[in-house]
Amino acid sequence: MTRDTTRRAVLASVLAAGTAGLAASDAADLLDSFAPISGEAWDAADRSVPETVESPYGAASVSRDEFGVPQIEADAEPAAYFAVGYCQAFDRLFAMDLQRRAMRGRLSEVVGEATLDSDEFNVAMGFSDAAEATWEVVAETRAGPLVEAFADGVNAATEDLPLPLEFELIGYEPEPWTPVDSMLMEKQISWTLTGSFSELRRALVADRLGAERAETLFPKRYDHDETILDGTETRLGEARESVRPAGERASSGRRSGSVAPADPALTDWLSGFESPTGVGSNSWVVSGEHTESGVPIVAYDPHLSLQAPPLWYEQSVETPERSVRGATFSGVPFVIAGANDRGTWSFTNLGADVLDCYTYEIDDGGDRYRYDGEWRSFELDERETIPVAGGEDRELRVRRTVHGPLIEREGQRVGVAWTGHTATRTTVAIEAYGRSQGIDDLLEATRDFDLPTQNLVYADADGRTLYYATGRLPIRRTDGEVVAGDRVFDGSEGEGEWRGFEPFGESSWDGFVPFEEKPHAIDPDALSTANQRPIDDPIHYVGVDYAPPYRGERIAERLDDAVDGSDAEADDATDPDFHHALQSDVRDGRAPELVPELVAAVRDLPDPAVSLVDVADALDEWDYRMARDSRAALVFARYLPHFRERVFRPAFSDADLGETYYPSDWTLARLPDDDPLFDGRSRGDLAVAALRDALDEIDEAGWEMYGDYNTTRAMSHPVGGEAPFLNYEELPADGSPATVKNYRVESAVGSSWRMVVRPGTDATAVLPGGNSGDYFSEHYDDQLRRWLDNDQRPMPLGDDGEPVVRFEPSTEGSR
């Protein structure tokens, strides 16, 4: 049967069974929110775009390549972005609406009580108010009218076309899209990348385990040499700000960072809304000195949540002002990571500390907080109602201080300051990237890129290359002295404040690192980023939450071998195939640190079972590659969590700290035999016991190879538990949390987009699924197998495909 026929048959069986056909749910508590399935669902099976669409912005045309990527052409930019909005709504309307509802705290309105925690957090954080403040700024820029045209295009498609299937399944209709909603998507992306309450967890660990043990188990600086920069690129002056470490006395005699840790229940609750575990990315650039063509090459794969449909949406826009193609997020008009006819740009997470937490003295009535030596009313104090489908509406008290939102739960409170709470101009920067004609334009636009903090990697057709840290980096002061942000501050005493910061308003740059003093490199020869610390000795404090260097070391090692000619097969000139192969690298750097001791421990047993010896021999011969057809990779993947449990659980359980507080695998591999965690137990004995645990688990599950366990089952649709047919096919996958080809089956995080670009010439890319979110489209999952194999397809500019939709000026005239 054809794909379309098969999918219609699936829907037919569901319709015949009604909601009973969805009863085999992994999330049965959400099932009650589903509307009775009706014949109206067939409308979604026949969704198609008309050949002509009226546009108030003028003429445009849309063609589609063989993977369903819309290629929009127009003589006027607003006309083009009206068409972009129309296309995104056709392909991704449900994803757009779902994310908008999540950020506004209105999921429970259509889903029910199961999402109340999420709604309470998002309402309390005030993301929608921050988006409003951002739109007030963006509306007055060149990007503003294009965002408005995009919103009009979304709404035109919503009115013209049948709604996607998910709206019928859940039983509601989306509200009109607004420019503020697109700004809200910027906030959502930024929160995903920078939202961290790590200082709360750090304070709790120090309180439970002791400051010295906490510093040992959770070092603020991993001991390695694989920084992004070698330090010479940012030496722009002799003056450097001295940052006082936590615990040293301020000039007033007060001990900084000495406030009591936040309530454990509040800390755990807030941690549930942070960035998904493992969010990160890879990117690298090699100058034309080391490529066969003499043109630089940029390779990029961001590691974000994997789901159906993918987070990223691919599009191409051709106007007299721009020729740009690449990936954006549903609801965002402009290409975020991609290429135009002159350059290419990509982003990885900087790991910067851009969120601070504050405690306050609050009066007995709970109506005022102490600040600057006096009692103050809260900057905002009002009641918000959260609608709940099928249940009682929830009322939430929303309060804010001079620093930002006050998050409250069951009588516990913490204040939050986050750079995303102010008006930001990143939309302005991204719009300008698409029109940039080289490194100078790109640098000027990057001055407006104030959220989120990222590692920007760029190259242009003139052979120029660039690395720059983007975003606002706060400079914190207590009693006039600069302090690090890796602690909880006393908000009533004014500790750790950012000058010029106006939550839910427009901030100045007075309290943030100047653009020229951020880590950067102009025309690097070869440079890679993998979320490791950017530089050993930065001019200003950046942060402490960096990834272990496994990916960074592997990328740097292979690039060094290639560009230095030390690789026997390299000739100091790389081509796109080399970079595709590096993106596909699955060597896990944790294995050579942990496997030899395991093998030795088995062989040291007085009378080991034959099965253990066989496994040890296989591990000893293993190449440490997390390949889907590897038995040894399966054993290592399941051994490691059991080893963590056996090493960390006793001490952490005694301290009432769960597995989410366990140290990293980098720390685990370096714990000496006499570390107090072992408490008389030997590493070898624990390793053998963990191996037995893993083999029992593997035998019980019936897994034979790594790909039996490491599958695409994690890449589910948001309502795939209730409607399993919306999920992608379950297929074996390569990669692990520590490999360049990144995939984390436990957390559904991994390479969410891959591209390799030679600026001004050719580019390739692939999505983990398909460009369409329409279940009935042939492009719903047509790139899934390509993504698994990193089989990238061309990403051309200005493709001359036959238009499938023409946008014609409306009879009322163009705007």
Side-chain angles (χ1 to χ4, degrees), residues 338-460:
N340 64 13
D341 53 349
R342 296 292 302 156
T344 183
W345 53 95
S346 64
F347 303 96
T348 65
N349 212 14
L350 177 62
D353 184 353
V354 297
L355 183 150
D356 284 344
C357 292
Y358 301 86
T359 61
Y360 302 96
E361 183 182 354
I362 295 178
D363 68 12
D364 292 339
D367 295 323
R368 297 181 302 168
Y369 71 107
R370 194 163 186 82
Y371 177 74
D372 198 21
E374 63 181 15
W375 290 103
R376 287 195 179 195
S377 297
F378 289 95
E379 316 301 299
L380 176 72
D381 191 346
E382 60 184 31
R383 304 271 177 182
E384 293 254 1
T385 299
I386 301 175
V388 180
E392 292 186 11
D393 293 350
R394 180 71 57 89
E395 191 174 79
L396 184 70
R397 187 178 186 184
V398 177
R399 293 194 282 182
R400 294 172 188 165
T401 72
V402 294
H403 304 112
L406 185 72
I407 308 299
E408 305 179 74
R409 187 166 179 83
E410 298 180 358
Q412 301 297 319
R413 309 177 182 96
V414 66
V416 177
W418 176 54
T419 54
H421 278 139
T422 194
T424 50
R425 299 173 64 88
T426 298
T427 295
V428 178
I430 290 296
E431 185 277 325
Y433 279 13
R435 295 182 286 105
S436 61
Q437 293 298 298
I439 194 171
D440 292 337
D441 288 349
L442 200 288
L443 273 170
E444 187 60 31
T446 301
R447 291 179 178 274
D448 280 329
F449 199 114
D450 47 12
L451 178 81
T453 42
Q454 297 284 281
N455 298 300
L456 164 65
V457 171
Y458 172 81
D460 68 24

Side-chain angles (χ1 to χ4, degrees), residues 276-282 300-307 310-312 531 551 583 710 714-715 733-754 766-768 787:
T277 301
V279 163
S281 302
N282 303 322
Y300 178 46
D301 60 295
H303 308 157
L304 298 172
S305 295
L306 297 169
Q307 60 189 46
L311 285 178
W312 295 97
N531 314 117
R551 287 180 290 114
Q583 286 182 330
N710 199 57
M715 299 167 62
D734 303 313
S736 77
T739 58
V740 179
K741 189 178 185 182
N742 206 254
Y743 184 60
R744 306 158 191 242
V745 68
E746 296 88 355
S747 58
V749 169
S751 300
S752 59
W753 159 261
R754 296 192 190 101
V766 70
L767 280 166
W787 173 78

Side-chain angles (χ1 to χ4, degrees), residues 108 113-122 269 273 394 409:
S108 301
E113 293 181 353
T115 54
L116 262 175
D117 274 2
S118 171
D119 284 349
E120 288 185 7
F121 173 78
N122 289 317
W269 186 73
F273 303 106
R394 180 71 57 89
R409 187 166 179 83

Side-chain angles (χ1 to χ4, degrees), residues 11 14-15 18-19 22 30-38 40-41 44 94 110 164-172 717 719-720 722-726 775:
L11 179 60
V14 172
L15 288 169
T19 51
L22 304 175
L30 298 184
L31 191 60
D32 289 342
S33 70
F34 268 54
I37 303 298
S38 72
E40 293 179 8
F94 178 71
V110 297
L165 177 63
E166 293 91 334
F167 289 103
E168 172 63 22
L169 290 176
I170 298 176
Y172 79 100
H717 189 281
V719 295
E722 294 74 31
F725 60 88
L726 292 172
Y775 170 74

